[in-house]
Amino acid sequence: MKSMQYQSSSPDEVIFGPDFHQSLYCHLLCGLIFREEIQSVSSTFAHSIVHAFRTFEQVWEELCADIREGVLTSRITFPSVRSAMAKLLKPNLELADLIHKKCSGLNNWYGLIPELFPNVKYIYGIMTGSMEPYLKKLRHYAGNLPLLSSDYGSSEGWIGANVNPTLPPESATYAVLPNIGYFEFIPLKENVEEHVQGKVNDYFIYMEPKPVGLTEVKVGEEYEIIITSFAGLYRYRLGDVVKVMGFHNSSPELKFVCRRNLMLTINIDKNTEKDLQLAVEEAAKLTAEENMEVLDFSSHVDLSTDPGHYVIFWEISGEVSDEVLKECCNCLDRSFVDAGYVSSRKVNAIGPLELRVVRRGTFQKILDHYLGLGAALSQFKTPRCVGPTNNKVLQILCDNVAKSYFSTAF
């Protein structure tokens, strides 16, 4: 059975270590020690891989010192972890000098992964949906290595297999596994007939379309998934919005679109997580011209003002001029192309979009907050839309605002 297990470069004491930051440091150190044997780099989510190599940028010299001296840094305090690492770590001046030379020779860390691990064949993990904003940075680290998006699953169960793994993650589709459970799909095509079925006491009644079966879905249409599983879930709504791209044999191939419940809305506007992502990508092109990148982002609907308005939080890799950030703010506002949003902005039913630039390390504080609550890094997703009930995360964001700008696009 042991020979069937997935081989990791890190010992169990590191993998199951009690402190995430210490475990990550040791993961990086183990990877360097066994650099010639590493054949793939993977994690549950792309965010975790990017976070690991951003951390590497900060600690690589310390890692080299550990390898050169054969002594683990004092930052690792847990005896079980130190004992396990002591069995692997021996003085290796040649390896330390090689890693130092390779890191020093990189241009802005481009191609870091293949430089560190010459025999790596691919990078693997969930790279769709809320992970797509991290692909640009991941490709930067990966150089020419292919990115393979893993199969489509959720906490409630597996849904589909990536039958075309050579496609880029943005184009990944998943063939539904019909033997995993019973799947139904709620049509999400927006039209008057589906949204308005009756009117009672001057209020419109929303009548949701009837779910269709696995073989009744149509190519090009969007649906929300319902699953009945062997584990006991009955007609459970996953909240995932998918688009049918075709069929693999008789099973539909799905493309993940967004989470249905993550939505910015104030008036008649409806902007999804995907809409937010596209707006940020468009505006971030302006910071890229200044050789700066948007490290992470989130959003919030501020109803404390009249009218309410969208707030976008950005963490940027360095200083960007006020002129550029003002234009970024306008670009964000213009990039929400939902008809309800545009019309509401033009008549001032929705106020000017606000861009708040937060200090470096703000999103790390959010990660630390969730880790402190017992969350696993491998399962962490940056909250893209912070609702009023998520007071702690909203407080972290608001307490770390360095600059704020209001749109003048409308």
Side-chain angles (χ1 to χ4, degrees):
M1 178 62 72
K2 189 172 182 179
S3 63
M4 297 171 61
Q5 293 178 352
Y6 185 82
Q7 295 298 307
S8 170
S9 61
S10 302
D12 288 347
E13 291 84 353
V14 172
I15 295 172
F16 301 107
D19 181 85
F20 155 71
H21 299 288
Q22 295 187 31
S23 290
L24 176 56
Y25 183 92
C26 291
H27 279 310
L28 294 170
L29 184 56
C30 289
L32 295 177
I33 293 172
F34 297 106
R35 64 184 296 270
E36 298 285 347
E37 301 173 39
I38 306 296
Q39 296 191 26
S40 68
V41 175
S42 67
S43 184
T44 305
F45 292 116
H47 167 269
S48 302
I49 304 175
V50 170
H51 179 77
F53 288 102
R54 278 179 173 158
T55 301
F56 181 87
E57 291 184 34
Q58 307 300 320
V59 302
W60 70 276
E61 291 179 302
E62 190 173 357
L63 290 166
C64 287
D66 288 358
I67 295 172
R68 181 177 291 107
E69 299 168 9
V71 178
L72 189 62
T73 176
S74 59
R75 72 162 67 202
I76 310 303
T77 58
F78 290 96
S80 61
V81 178
R82 293 194 65 89
S83 176
M85 291 301 298
K87 298 175 183 178
L88 303 176
L89 187 59
K90 308 298 179 185
N92 192 332
L93 180 62
E94 183 180 352
L95 177 59
D97 288 344
L98 175 64
I99 295 169
H100 193 282
K101 181 179 179 181
K102 286 185 175 295
C103 291
S104 300
L106 290 173
N107 182 15
N108 195 27
W109 300 101
Y110 177 81
L112 172 62
I113 295 176
E115 281 294 320
L116 293 179
F117 313 112
N119 295 313
V120 162
K121 304 298 189 296
Y122 58 88
I123 316 296
Y124 183 81
I126 295 174
M127 301 180 185
T128 55
S130 60
M131 294 299 113
E132 282 191 26
Y134 302 106
L135 291 181
K136 182 179 179 181
K137 190 65 175 180
L138 187 55
R139 285 194 172 99
H140 184 82
Y141 287 136
N144 294 322
L145 289 174
L147 305 184
L148 272 62
S149 187
S150 60
D151 294 335
Y152 181 14
S154 66
S155 302
E156 295 78 18
W158 289 108
I159 298 160
N162 185 356
V163 293
N164 298 298
T166 57
L167 291 176
E170 295 90 342
S171 303
T173 58
Y174 306 92
V176 176
L177 302 171
N179 59 335
I180 292 292
Y182 182 73
F183 293 94
E184 298 172 273
F185 300 85
I186 302 174
L188 297 181
K189 183 177 180 181
E190 296 189 11
N191 55 51
V192 175
E193 290 78 20
E194 291 176 3
H195 280 274
V196 182
Q197 298 292 334
K199 189 177 183 182
V200 178
N201 296 329
D202 294 327
Y203 288 95
F204 287 108
I205 298 176
Y206 174 77
M207 298 290 287
E208 197 160 55
K210 183 180 178 180
V212 299
L214 189 69
T215 60
E216 300 172 300
V217 295
K218 297 178 180 179
V219 175
E221 300 294 339
E222 293 186 356
Y223 300 87
E224 181 185 351
I225 301 177
I226 301 175
I227 184 173
T228 298
S229 71
F230 294 109
L233 295 176
Y234 178 73
R235 305 196 84 186
Y236 183 87
R237 297 177 66 156
L238 292 178
D240 288 356
V241 175
V242 296
K243 185 175 183 178
V244 178
M245 304 303 293
F247 286 85
H248 182 79
N249 296 326
S250 298
S251 185
E253 284 191 36
L254 310 177
K255 178 179 175 61
F256 182 88
V257 177
C258 65
R259 293 283 296 171
R260 191 176 186 183
N261 60 342
L262 294 178
M263 187 173 292
L264 294 168
T265 180
I266 296 175
N267 189 23
I268 59 173
D269 52 310
K270 291 182 180 179
N271 282 298
T272 66
E273 178 184 10
K274 184 66 175 180
D275 297 321
L276 172 63
Q277 177 188 322
L278 293 173
V280 169
E281 288 177 355
E282 187 63 28
K285 294 176 182 177
L286 299 173
T287 63
E289 294 175 1
E290 303 288 313
N291 294 319
M292 298 295 170
E293 64 175 311
V294 177
L295 299 177
D296 223 329
F297 65 92
S298 189
S299 65
H300 171 64
V301 171
D302 188 350
L303 299 177
S304 65
T305 60
D306 186 20
H309 67 285
Y310 291 5
V311 178
I312 310 298
F313 296 94
W314 273 12
E315 183 175 326
I316 306 176
S317 59
E319 289 295 323
V320 180
S321 67
D322 288 339
E323 291 74 17
V324 172
L325 289 173
K326 288 176 183 177
E327 185 53 40
C328 287
C329 184
N330 289 338
C331 184
L332 282 168
D333 207 1
R334 291 191 299 265
S335 296
F336 287 107
V337 295
D338 169 68
Y341 180 79
V342 174
S343 60
S344 296
R345 282 287 288 117
K346 287 181 177 179
V347 298
N348 203 36
I350 295 177
L353 180 143
E354 182 181 2
L355 172 62
R356 298 181 186 176
V357 179
V358 297
R359 299 180 184 90
R360 284 291 299 272
T362 297
F363 282 87
Q364 177 65 45
K365 292 179 181 179
I366 294 175
L367 171 59
D368 292 340
H369 164 67
Y370 281 104
L371 293 177
L373 296 177
L377 175 73
S378 61
Q379 294 294 315
F380 174 75
K381 296 180 183 178
T382 300
R384 295 300 183 205
C385 183
V386 181
T389 59
N390 204 344
N391 292 325
K392 182 59 180 179
V393 173
L394 186 58
Q395 181 182 346
I396 293 172
L397 289 167
C398 293
D399 288 349
N400 287 277
V401 173
K403 297 179 180 179
S404 179
Y405 304 89
F406 283 91
S407 168
T408 57
F410 291 88

